[in-house]
């Protein structure tokens, strides 16, 4: 466990969204009200991808998911990216 902590100690560096860690899992989330919030979340995902490269860590696409909670009916699906993988919010990363 201490080896994992040594790696993830600075994972939230420069991340504006809320980030939660448990063992080797990471959850990043934020409230989306407008387009700027989506852009901030995307920047945070970019930073998370950069952190993974800098620390020789890999993000497992088969274990990564996006979840959206909303009361509104959405016509446009927001596309979020981590590294070269695409996540549409309803598919696996």
């Amino acid at each position: 466990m201490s080896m994992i902590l040594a790696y993830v100690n600075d994972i939230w560096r420069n991340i504006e969204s809320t980030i939660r860690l448990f063992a080797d899992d990471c959850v990043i989330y934020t409230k989306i009200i407008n387009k700027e919030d989506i852009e901030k979340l995307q920047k945070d995902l970019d930073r998370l991808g950069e952190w993974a490269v800098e620390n020789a860590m890999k993000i497992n696409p088969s274990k990564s998911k996006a979840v959206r909670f909303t009361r509104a009916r959405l016509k446009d699906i927001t596309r979020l990216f981590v590294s070269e993988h695409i996540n549409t919010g309803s598919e696996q990363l």
Side-chain angles (χ1 to χ4, degrees):
M1 179 70 163
S2 61
M3 188 63 155
I4 295 291
L5 291 176
Y7 271 110
V8 300
N9 193 34
D10 68 340
I11 196 170
W12 45 77
R13 178 189 68 208
N14 300 321
I15 302 281
E16 292 183 45
S17 301
T18 304
I19 190 166
R20 299 282 187 235
L21 305 172
F22 180 76
D24 63 345
D25 291 328
C26 171
V27 175
I28 183 170
Y29 62 93
T30 192
K31 186 174 186 176
I32 305 284
I33 297 174
N34 54 41
K35 188 174 181 176
E36 289 77 26
D37 293 335
I38 295 169
E39 292 169 0
K40 282 196 288 189
L41 179 58
Q42 182 58 61
K43 284 182 185 179
D44 287 343
L45 291 171
D46 294 342
R47 289 183 191 116
L48 186 61
E50 292 166 5
W51 175 90
V53 170
E54 290 170 6
N55 289 279
M57 301 289 278
K58 292 183 180 179
I59 297 172
N60 187 338
S62 68
K63 292 184 177 181
S64 301
K65 299 191 186 325
V67 178
R68 178 184 334 206
F69 298 97
T70 181
R71 292 183 184 150
R73 293 186 181 252
L74 302 174
K75 293 180 182 178
D76 295 328
I77 296 177
T78 303
R79 295 184 179 269
L80 300 171
F81 299 85
V82 176
S83 207
E84 294 180 2
H85 302 286
I86 186 169
N87 189 337
T88 63
S90 60
E91 306 172 343
Q92 287 187 352
L93 186 67

